[in-house]
């Protein structure tokens, strides 16, 4: 039997698991991902909050409650080891009514039970002293200093790079179509690129986890998409809060948040709209959804910037499990089938803890590899020109002129950074964008997309029109400019 | 009788002109000033436009060069002319004003470059990366 | 690192910046530096391969590319220090006689200290997000300028079947350009009940090719996950709101966004200049001087121009003002009058007048009309305009002595 584990899904959960497993001696780890790059499922389109862990009821949702608190603490180390931009800014849950105040006390009590440190309820004055932009209607807030925000797409990229350095193979544009089970044990996965044999199959397929489970004969849960829409403002638009601003939660969701992303943009969202089970790709934005987000966000602050300052809207799909709680388990039947599924919020926060939990469970079920002597915990981030002081910047440019050629004017990203991203694995325009921020500014790529495509074309040796935005089927163009006219009859 | 609708573009008023022809007699109606009269006749009898397109360039700093016809060509031949040019290529360097093709569709017009395109140096090497 | 001291720094090498640098050099300003972030000078002109440039000034209709080479040749023959691929990262106002700029280029990172600056950074296009278009976010949604650059600089065909959102000149020109390469343009969709572009372009870009123009329509949403598969379009009511019962789906693989330009003023605003919400550009006085003394603005960074000649003459005026600023050490104080934008107009530039010089006003009408009158009641001035269109900038020259006389100034269109 091959000593190989196949992880299905290169989201933050699958990659966290792969990272942990990559520390084991003699175990081959393969991550299989259907998209052209890592982290393009729920992991790229979310609020990016490392929740502190007071939200979840430890009786109803024991995994969520336990793993979020633990994940929060682990992220402090992981983010540092992996050079993931993170801001441990803390969060405020804002209460605007006496009912809200009652809920705050519940949250506080739950936080204490879950082991969340440093929680405190502030009065309205205190809240506005911390965050002057908070609405005058706010009477109290639960302050949680251990919450943070990170850049979710940079997190998956960092995890992936660290995995690869530790010997993990990541296969992109590879769709898992079946799980081969023989005599009650998994033997591997059937993919669009052929069969991959394995002793363990870890299902971290996000929205599709229920389908992967069914391929393995497991059908005790379903995953439905719950859509969340966002609006992102221009970097120069403000005021921006220093901490994450939550409304008092409802039973369905934590509500529309007002936050400053790690890159410094004001962002509001998400709403929560349940979609049918098969709507797993419907990351649409809607007029109603965005209007709702705007209305809800407006309640938390004195004033939002003008609508003209919105530079981007997007949406993500939460993988909502039928049972409500995260599914983190090693099955007896089929043997070797492992699941980290139903990772709705706070799945990002919990990911490192989920990974360690999976390792613990696999150990209990016969995984007996020891730790590698040499395992690299650190990963170095690419150079960010705009993050350098002027002197360093001068030195860098004189050593490598391409770090002086700005290709994305809004975010100040240089050719050198783009080339570095490509050498680190970006194959698409979005791949470059999520690694460098090129195209994330106010012009949304209208100025830089073609220059970036030209660099990709040169580095990958492909014609420029065939460079894709996000993998096969999303080519920039349909051919050379003459392609519709050539070969046709000249007679009209 | 032939009847042609023409919008005068000589000033922002944009009169809608009706041009009719009967036994070689041309008549224009609906113009707001004399200029529209002449314009209507020209557009009805001999409408023509300059064709603008690009031609692929081999070994150039850029892959295409923009071009135009040296004179306006009959309007109904624009698409045909554009198709006729597909397949044509030119080698860098190209200079502004360079004639790239002669006597397009026997119309006695040339295709002229409207931008200069230098020959390619190897940019990768020039940047000192690699 | 050495700071380079210069008399005039021109930010942006489009027609406005090129005209400014040339004029300043001709006037005898020493140490003129022009920086532009692109590989070629000319700003957006090199991607405009269509004719329609320079007729008013040179008596000859040129394509954008042709005009660009003409302007570049002029600057090359003068004593102007040109930096291309030079992105201005930051600008600062240090003192009355010193403004700073940090410029990043492949040849090094430079810091300039300039007595005067002409800011001519042009505009950017509004995106599908700013147009309120929702739905999915696949490949095949590009701004009009990007489509021009795709086809005519990089030789890429962006799609087979297109819908164009917006009927300004840019949208119309792109619709024709696509058609000539064999792309089927299924519709040009315009929110307003009248086309946004010049009549000439409606006729020569759409009517010539029988491309449907859907007035009072809006593009609501994009469909398709990897590539555009269709767009949803609806009619709008008089309040410009979509009428649900009229929503229809147009299959296409390309959506061109041509819904207007926005002046690129981030650097100016970052240095502290006051911005006019009506134009999106800086507030300027009759010298085209911004609220930062010695910093002048011109071209599309000042106000969106439809004629390249206007951008160029603004560049030249800015250069002349910079020259005077350097020679005289700035301008005298005066009682500046803020021009009030009356009915029927979207904006008036310059915003501040004192009567030091005759001044050309640039204005844009709110809606089309025939036989309109442009009024300045305080001066008893009234100008008949046969026909006005928002697509065409209106200009009006005021005499210095008239401006001096008036207590205040209101411009309106009736
Ligand atoms: C709107 C929204 C807001 C959120 N906010 C937060 C927050 O603030 N904090 C927080 O902690 N959590 C948040 N979450 C939750 C968090 O984003 C998720 O829990 C987390 O990203 C889940 O990661 P994952 O790896 O399980 O899933 P995914 O990132 O979806 O990864 C699954 C991967 O599997 C791949 N895949 C699926 N099927 C196949 C197949 N057959 N073959 C190969 N590959 C396959 C997919 O392409 C995908 O890349 C939010 C989620 C959403 C949508
Ligand atoms: C598609 C289109 C079609 C048009 N058609 C016509 C026509 O037919 N006839 C006509 O007369 N007019 C036409 N116009 C209008 C006219 O061409 C423009 O008004 C004019 O080009 C504006 O010139 P500009 O110099 O202000 O800006 P731009 O040409 O945009 O130049 C500004 C330059 O500044 C650079 N820059 C910006 N920021 C920085 C920075 N931080 N550091 C360094 N450099 C910077 C930019 O990259 C750019 O190169 C058209 C405009 C468009 C957009
Ligand atoms: S006919 Fe005269 S008035 Fe009418 S559009 Fe033509 S030029 Fe203008």
């Amino acid at each position: 039997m091959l000593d190989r584990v196949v992880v299905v899904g290169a989201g933050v959960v699958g990659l966290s698991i792969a990272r942990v497993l990559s520390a084991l001696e003699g175990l081959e780890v393969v991550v299989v991902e259907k998209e052209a790059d890592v982290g393009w499922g729920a992991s790229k389109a979310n609020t990016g909050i490392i929740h502190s862990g007071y939200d979840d009821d430890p009786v109803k949702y024991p995994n969520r409650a336990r793993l979020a608190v633990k994940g929060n603490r682990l992220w402090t180390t992981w983010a540092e080891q992996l050079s993931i931009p993170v801001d441990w800014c803390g969060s405020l849950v804002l209460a605007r009514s006496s009912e809200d105040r009652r809920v705050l006390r519940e949250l506080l009590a739950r936080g204490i039970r879950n082991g969340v440190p440093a929680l405190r309820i502030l009065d309205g004055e205190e809240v506005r002293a911390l965050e002057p932009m908070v609405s005058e209607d706010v009477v109290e807030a639960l302050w949680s200093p251990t919450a943070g925000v990170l850049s979710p797409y940079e997190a998956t990229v960092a995890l992936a790079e660290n995995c690869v350095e530790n010997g993990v193979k990541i296969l992109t544009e590879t769709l898992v179509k079946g799980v081969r089970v023989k005599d009650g044990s998994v033997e591997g996965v059937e993919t669009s690129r052929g069969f991959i044999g394995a002793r363990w199959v870890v299902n971290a397929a996000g929205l599709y986890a229920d389908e992967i489970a069914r391929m393995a004969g497991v059908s005790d849960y379903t995953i439905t998409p719950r859509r969340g829409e966002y609006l992102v403002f221009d970097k120069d638009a403000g005021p921006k809060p220093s901490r994450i601003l939550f409304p008092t939660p409802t039973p369905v969701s934590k509500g529309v948040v007002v936050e400053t992303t790690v890159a410094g943009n004001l962002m509001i969202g998400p709403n929560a709209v349940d979609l049918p089970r098969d709507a797993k790709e419907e990351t649409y934005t809607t007029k109603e959804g965005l209007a709702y987000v705007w209305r809800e966000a407006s309640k938390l602050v004195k004033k939002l910037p003008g609508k003209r300052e919105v530079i981007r809207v997007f949406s993500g799909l939460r993988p909502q499990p039928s049972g409500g709680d995260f599914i983190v388990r090693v099955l007896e039947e089929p043997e070797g089938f492992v699941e980290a599924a139903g990772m709705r919020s706070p799945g990002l926060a919990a990911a490192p803890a989920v990974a360690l939990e999976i390792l613990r469970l696999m150990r209990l079920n016969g995984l007996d590899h020891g730790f590698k002597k040499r395992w690299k915990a650190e990963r170095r981030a690419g150079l960010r020109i705009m993050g350098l002081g002027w002197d360093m910047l001068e030195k860098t440019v004189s050593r490598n002129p391409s770090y002086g050629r700005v290709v994305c004017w809004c975010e100040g990203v240089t050719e050198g950074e783009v080339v570095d991203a490509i050498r680190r694995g970006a194959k698409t325009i979005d791949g470059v964008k999520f690694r460098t921020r090129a195209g994330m500014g106010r012009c949304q790529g209208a100025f830089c997309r073609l220059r970036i495509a030209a660099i990709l074309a040169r580095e990958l040796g492909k014609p420029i029109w065939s460079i894709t935005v996000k993998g096969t089927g999303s080519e920039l163009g349909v051919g050379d400019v003459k392609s519709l006219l050539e070969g046709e009859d000249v007679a009209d | 009788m032939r009847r042609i609708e023409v919008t005068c573009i000589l000033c922002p008023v944009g009169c809608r002109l009706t041009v009719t022809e009967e036994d070689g007699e041309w008549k224009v109606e609906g113009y707001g000033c004399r200029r529209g009269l002449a314009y209507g006749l020209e557009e009805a009898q001999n409408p023509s436009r300059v064709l603008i397109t690009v031609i692929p360039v081999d070994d150039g700093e850029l892959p295409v060069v923009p071009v135009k016809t040296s004179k306006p060509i009959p309007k109904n031949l624009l698409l045909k002319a554009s198709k006729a040019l597909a397949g044509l290529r030119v080698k860098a360097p190209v200079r502004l004003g360079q004639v790239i093709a002669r006597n397009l569709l026997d119309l006695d017009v040339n295709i002229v470059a409207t931008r200069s395109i230098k020959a390619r140096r190897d940019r990768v090497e020039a940047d000192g990366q690699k | 690192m050495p700071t380079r001291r210069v008399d005039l720094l021109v930010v942006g090498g489009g027609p406005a910046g090129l005209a400014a640098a040339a004029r300043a050099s001709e006037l005898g300003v020493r140490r003129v530096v022009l920086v532009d972030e692109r590989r070629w000078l000319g700003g957006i002109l090199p991607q405009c391969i269509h004719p329609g440039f320079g007729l008013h000034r040179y008596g000859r209709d040129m394509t954008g590319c042709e005009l660009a080479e003409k302007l570049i040749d002029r600057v090359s023959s003068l004593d102007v220090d040109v930096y291309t691929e030079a992105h201005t990262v930051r600008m600062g106002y240090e003192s009355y006689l010193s403004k700073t700029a940090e410029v990043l280029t492949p040849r090094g990172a430079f810091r300039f200290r300039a007595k005067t600056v002409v800011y001519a950074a042009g505009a950017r296009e509004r995106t599908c997000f700013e147009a309120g278009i929702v739905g999915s976010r696949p490949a095949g949604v590009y701004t009009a300028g990007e489509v021009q650059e795709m086809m005519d600089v990089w030789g890429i065909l962006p799609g087979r079947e297109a819908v164009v959102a917006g009927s300004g000149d840019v949208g119309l020109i792109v619709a024709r350009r696509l058609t000539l390469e064999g792309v089927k343009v299924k519709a040009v969709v315009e929110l307003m009940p009248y086309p946004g572009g010049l009549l000439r372009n409606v006729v020569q870009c759409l009517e010539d090719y029988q491309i449907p123009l859907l007035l009072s329509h809006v593009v609501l949403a994009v469909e398709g996950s990897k590539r555009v598969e269709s767009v949803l379009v609806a009619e709008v009511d008089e309040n410009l709101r979509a009428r649900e019962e009229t929503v229809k789906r147009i299959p296409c693989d390309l959506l061109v966004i041509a819904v207007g330009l926005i002046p690129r003023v981030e650097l100016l605003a970052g240095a502290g200049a006051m911005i006019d919400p009506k134009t999106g550009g800086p507030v300027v006085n009759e010298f085209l001087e911004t609220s930062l003394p010695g910093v002048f603005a011109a071209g599309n960074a000042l106000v969106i121009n439809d004629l390249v000649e206007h951008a160029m003459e603004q560049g030249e005026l800015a250069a002349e003002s910079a020259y005077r600023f350097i020679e005289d050490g700035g301008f005298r104080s005066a009682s500046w009058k803020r021009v009030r934008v009356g009915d029927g107009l979207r904006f008036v530039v310059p915003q501040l007048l004192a009567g030091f010089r005759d001044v050309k006003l640039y204005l844009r009408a709110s809606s089309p009309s025939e036989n309109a009158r442009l009024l300045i009641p305080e001066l008893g001035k009234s100008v008949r305009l046969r026909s006005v269109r928002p697509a065409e900038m209106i200009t009006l020259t005021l005499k210095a002595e008239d401006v001096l006389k008036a207590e205040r100034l209101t411009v309106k269109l009736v």
Side-chain angles (χ1 to χ4, degrees):
Chain A
M1 166 105 355
L2 258 173
D3 239 356
R4 183 189 284 153
V5 49
V6 166
V7 179
V8 184
V12 69
V13 172
L15 292 170
S16 294
I17 294 170
R19 177 178 196 241
V20 167
L21 296 180
S22 76
L24 300 182
E25 190 66 61
L27 181 71
E28 190 187 344
V29 184
V30 178
V31 181
V32 183
E33 170 56 53
K34 68 179 166 67
E35 298 298 325
D37 207 336
V38 299
W40 285 2
S43 299
K44 83 165 191 294
N46 57 53
T47 326
I49 299 174
I50 307 304
H51 295 281
S52 54
Y54 53 75
D55 292 284
D56 292 308
D57 186 326
V59 179
K60 273 206 230 144
Y61 310 117
N63 281 341
R64 273 155 58 177
R66 193 164 50 91
L67 296 170
V69 179
K70 199 168 159 209
N72 177 290
R73 196 146 314 160
L74 284 166
W75 270 120
T76 57
T77 341
W78 285 39
E80 198 180 314
Q81 288 173 336
L82 300 171
S83 305
I84 297 169
V86 58
D87 182 3
W88 295 107
C89 54
S91 66
L92 294 167
V93 183
L94 306 178
R96 300 165 55 242
S97 65
S98 50
E99 168 57 18
D100 285 356
R101 294 178 56 198
R102 191 189 60 70
V103 178
L104 287 196
R105 277 154 188 80
E106 256 176 39
L107 293 180
L108 175 64
R110 203 182 290 158
I112 293 169
R113 268 177 81 181
N114 288 354
V116 180
L119 294 171
R120 175 157 91 85
I121 289 179
L122 309 177
D123 67 26
E125 299 289 282
E126 288 177 299
V127 175
R128 276 176 293 276
L130 285 182
E131 297 290 344
M133 69 184 286
V134 163
S135 158
E136 295 290 344
D137 300 346
V138 169
V139 288
E140 266 185 11
L142 176 66
W143 182 23
S144 181
T146 56
V149 276
L150 57 64
S151 158
Y153 30 85
E154 285 178 77
T156 53
V157 165
L159 283 165
E161 287 181 10
N162 182 240
C163 281
V164 169
E165 264 203 76
N166 286 308
V168 175
K169 283 202 193 69
I170 301 178
L171 306 175
T172 51
E173 294 204 86
T174 308
L175 175 77
V176 172
K177 296 166 148 180
V179 178
R180 197 184 285 178
V181 178
K182 204 174 154 201
D183 305 330
S185 302
V186 297
E187 289 203 314
V189 292
E190 314 278 358
T191 78
S192 53
R193 294 178 195 248
F195 177 71
I196 305 172
R199 188 175 146 210
W200 303 88
V201 172
V202 180
N203 177 9
L207 285 163
Y208 293 89
D210 54 349
E211 292 182 14
I212 300 291
R214 274 160 186 72
M215 293 173 193
V218 177
S219 58
D220 58 347
Y221 67 94
T222 56
I223 305 281
T224 50
R226 181 176 282 175
R227 181 158 61 207
E229 294 163 76
Y230 296 87
L231 299 100
V232 183
F233 291 84
D234 192 297
K235 261 189 187 166
D236 292 342
K240 306 181 237 184
S242 311
R243 295 163 189 76
I244 305 154
L245 306 180
F246 287 102
T248 304
T250 63
V252 198
S253 106
K254 298 187 205 46
V256 171
V257 173
V258 176
E259 73 174 30
T260 307
T261 66
V262 264
N265 299 76
L266 179 68
M267 181 165 103
I268 59 176
N271 56 346
V273 178
D274 283 308
L275 301 181
R277 190 179 150 201
D278 60 358
K280 296 191 197 274
E281 299 291 332
E282 293 194 2
T283 53
Y284 294 168
T285 55
T286 63
K287 277 239 153 32
E288 307 73 50
L290 296 171
Y292 172 85
V293 167
W294 190 277
R295 266 198 317 277
E296 292 298 305
S298 306
K299 293 178 185 164
L300 302 184
V301 298
K302 291 187 179 123
K303 199 162 155 281
L304 288 173
K307 289 220 163 88
R308 290 162 74 167
E309 305 287 339
V310 173
I311 60 165
R312 172 92 187 182
V313 300
F314 68 92
S315 84
L317 301 175
R318 308 170 182 86
Q320 179 64 25
S322 44
D325 201 9
F326 295 160
I327 299 157
V328 182
R329 62 185 181 185
V330 173
L331 283 96
E332 276 165 23
E333 177 74 50
E335 198 189 323
F337 193 61
V338 182
E339 294 201 289
M343 305 299 300
R344 43 150 288 157
S345 187
L348 175 69
V354 170
L356 290 182
E357 177 69 3
I358 291 284
L359 174 65
R360 190 181 69 84
L361 294 175
M362 285 172 79
R363 279 253 155 90
L364 289 177
N365 284 272
L367 180 79
D368 52 8
H369 297 258
F371 284 108
K372 286 178 184 165
K373 284 205 196 67
R374 283 178 191 284
W375 179 76
K376 253 195 107 174
E378 262 83 35
R379 165 264 182 190
R380 276 187 49 205
L383 189 61
R384 278 285 162 80
I385 279 292
M386 288 300 147
L388 298 179
W390 199 256
D391 289 344
M392 260 314 281
L393 198 153
E394 276 195 298
K395 276 200 202 99
T396 312
V397 175
S398 66
R399 267 201 307 268
N400 185 342
S402 71
Y403 280 100
R405 183 174 290 119
V406 181
V407 292
C408 165
W409 300 329
C410 303
E411 295 289 319
V413 180
T414 62
E415 178 175 16
E417 290 159 272
V418 172
V419 170
D420 181 50
I422 296 168
R423 299 203 170 142
R424 286 163 180 259
K427 296 185 286 285
T428 62
I429 306 250
D430 271 3
V432 169
K433 173 171 101 173
F434 289 129
R435 285 171 179 82
T436 63
R437 290 191 60 74
M440 285 199 172
R442 47 182 77 86
C443 93
Q444 286 294 305
F447 276 135
C448 65
R449 195 154 21 226
L450 290 167
R451 266 190 306 274
I452 287 165
I455 299 170
L456 276 160
R458 180 187 75 202
E459 297 289 314
L460 305 177
K462 291 211 246 166
I464 183 168
W465 68 264
S466 72
I467 296 303
T468 71
V469 174
K470 42 179 159 181
T472 311
S474 67
E475 290 74 18
L476 213 50
V478 296
D480 287 332
V481 63
K482 294 289 166 187
S483 56
L484 286 180
L485 298 180
E486 266 164 357
E488 265 181 64
D489 254 356
V490 173
D492 45 337
Chain B
M1 191 182 88
R2 275 210 300 153
R3 188 191 157 85
I4 302 155
E5 303 285 338
V6 173
T7 310
C8 178
I9 60 168
L10 296 184
C11 91
V13 174
C15 296
R16 295 269 164 190
L17 314 176
T18 310
V19 190
T20 49
E21 188 253 2
E22 207 165 1
D23 309 327
E25 282 281 311
W26 290 86
K27 215 170 96 197
V28 183
E29 283 167 291
Y31 53 89
C33 77
R34 304 285 314 167
R35 293 201 298 153
L37 173 63
Y39 180 80
L41 283 178
E42 174 73 13
E43 273 291 288
Q45 294 170 350
N46 183 27
S48 56
R49 308 274 186 266
V50 171
L51 170 68
I52 300 290
T53 182
V54 293
I55 301 291
V57 176
D58 292 322
D59 306 324
E61 206 178 29
L62 285 174
V64 289
V65 61
V67 297
K68 66 177 183 186
T69 50
S70 53
K71 291 190 294 222
I73 63 172
K75 193 173 101 173
N76 58 357
L77 293 179
L78 284 167
L79 277 170
K80 187 169 174 183
S82 181
K83 280 185 192 162
L85 289 173
L88 189 65
R89 305 187 70 88
V90 56
K91 198 168 158 50
V94 183
R95 269 170 307 99
L96 175 78
Q98 182 177 327
V99 174
I100 295 194
R102 287 184 194 279
N103 197 18
L104 174 71
L105 299 177
D106 287 329
L107 291 168
D108 192 29
V109 299
N110 295 337
I111 293 293
V112 182
T114 57
R115 184 176 184 181
S116 306
I117 303 288
K118 291 193 194 122
R120 181 174 48 211
R121 317 167 274 141
D122 203 328
R123 262 182 75 80
V124 180
E125 271 176 27
D127 292 344
Q129 316 186 358
K130 200 37 176 288
Chain C
M1 179 219 16
T3 296
R4 304 187 177 203
R5 289 180 181 278
V6 304
D7 292 300
L8 170 62
L9 174 69
V10 180
V11 177
L18 287 168
R23 185 83 188 108
S25 179
E26 282 166 1
L27 282 169
V29 178
R30 291 177 310 130
R31 297 185 302 182
V32 178
V33 168
L34 180 146
V35 296
D36 192 288
E37 63 207 354
R38 297 177 197 242
R39 238 167 101 189
W40 303 274
L41 290 177
I44 57 157
L45 293 182
Q47 75 191 47
C48 294
I49 70 166
H50 59 281
F53 293 85
L55 187 62
H56 299 258
R57 190 180 182 114
Y58 300 98
R60 179 158 83 83
D61 193 2
M62 286 176 273
T63 68
C65 305
E66 290 172 318
L67 176 61
E69 290 203 22
K70 197 177 175 75
L71 300 179
I72 295 165
D73 285 348
R74 177 170 167 218
V75 163
S76 317
S77 71
L78 295 166
D79 190 17
V80 175
D81 211 355
V82 174
Y83 293 70
T84 51
E85 294 189 299
H87 178 73
T88 311
V89 178
R90 222 167 283 111
M91 266 173 50
Y93 178 84
E94 209 170 49
S95 75
Y96 194 60
L97 292 177
S98 164
K99 291 94 209 174
T100 56
E102 290 169 10
V103 177
L104 187 55
T105 85
R107 293 164 301 286
F110 303 106
R111 219 177 240 155
F112 291 98
R113 185 168 276 146
K115 282 190 191 149
T116 58
V117 173
V118 171
Y119 185 81
R124 70 171 178 87
E125 296 175 276
R126 290 178 69 213
T127 65
C128 64
F129 304 106
E130 290 166 311
I133 297 174
V134 296
S136 59
R137 299 164 295 286
V141 181
Y142 309 119
T143 62
E146 196 180 359
V147 167
Q148 289 186 322
E149 199 186 333
M150 264 182 163
M151 299 177 76
D152 299 336
V153 178
W154 298 104
I156 303 171
L157 193 74
R160 292 188 178 86
E161 297 194 319
V163 168
V164 178
S167 69
D169 289 318
V170 186
L172 300 175
I173 285 165
V174 167
R176 170 179 63 189
R177 183 71 196 96
L178 287 164
T179 306
L180 282 172
E181 296 304 340
V183 177
K184 173 135 190 68
V185 179
K186 294 189 146 176
V188 173
V189 181
E190 170 59 52
L191 182 65
M192 305 305 284
Y194 50 86
L198 300 176
L199 182 68
R200 178 183 72 182
N201 287 329
V202 175
V203 172
Q204 298 197 344
C205 299
L206 301 190
E207 292 179 9
D208 274 6
Y209 304 93
Q210 287 103 44
I211 297 171
L213 172 61
L214 304 180
L215 296 174
S216 295
H217 276 69
V218 63
V219 175
L220 294 173
V222 178
E223 298 179 321
S225 68
K226 293 277 181 163
R227 182 157 193 103
V228 178
E229 285 163 16
S230 49
V231 298
L232 298 183
V233 170
E235 241 175 271
V236 295
D237 60 22
E238 52 282 9
N239 301 319
L240 304 182
R241 260 198 292 269
R243 291 173 41 210
E244 291 302 324
E245 68 281 11
T246 64
V247 176
K248 64 178 170 201
R249 171 174 287 119
I250 307 183
C252 60
D253 62 355
L254 172 64
L255 173 63
V256 182
I257 308 289
V259 294
L261 302 173
I262 301 177
R264 290 176 69 189
V265 293
E266 305 82 56
L267 291 178
L268 270 185
M274 205 183 278
I275 304 300
D276 180 355
K278 291 196 166 74
T279 55
V283 173
V284 293
N285 63 26
E286 63 201 23
F287 298 107
L288 301 189
E289 186 183 32
T290 66
S291 56
L292 305 173
V295 178
F296 305 85
N300 281 358
L302 169 62
V303 60
I304 302 304
N305 290 286
D306 43 86
L307 270 186
V308 73
E309 281 93 343
H310 289 157
M312 288 168 60
E313 70 194 20
Q314 291 154 9
E316 285 166 350
L317 172 56
E320 285 156 23
S321 304
Y323 171 71
R324 280 192 59 178
F325 188 97
I326 296 164
E327 292 295 302
D328 305 347
F331 301 109
R332 272 189 294 128
S333 296
S335 67
W336 291 97
K337 294 155 200 145
R338 180 140 196 164
V339 182
R340 295 193 303 176
V341 181
D343 291 343
L345 292 174
R346 289 192 197 157
F347 61 73
V348 179
V349 172
Q351 292 86 344
L352 293 165
L353 305 181
F356 283 109
R357 58 190 305 284
D358 295 354
V359 59
K360 185 167 183 178
L361 300 181
Y362 299 88
L363 354 131
R364 206 174 279 286
S366 313
S367 60
S369 61
E370 313 302 326
N371 294 318
R373 274 184 312 140
L374 194 61
L375 296 179
I376 304 185
E378 294 89 345
L379 298 179
K381 201 172 169 94
S382 165
V383 182
R384 290 206 81 77
L385 298 169
R386 183 101 191 267
S387 161
V388 296
R389 298 280 177 273
E392 275 174 273
M393 188 103 89
I394 304 168
T395 60
L396 174 71
T397 303
L398 295 185
K399 289 252 162 275
E401 60 261 32
D402 286 345
V403 174
L404 270 175
K405 267 195 317 234
E407 279 287 305
R408 50 207 265 176
L409 288 160
T410 312
V411 189
K412 60 182 169 187
L413 191 69
V414 294

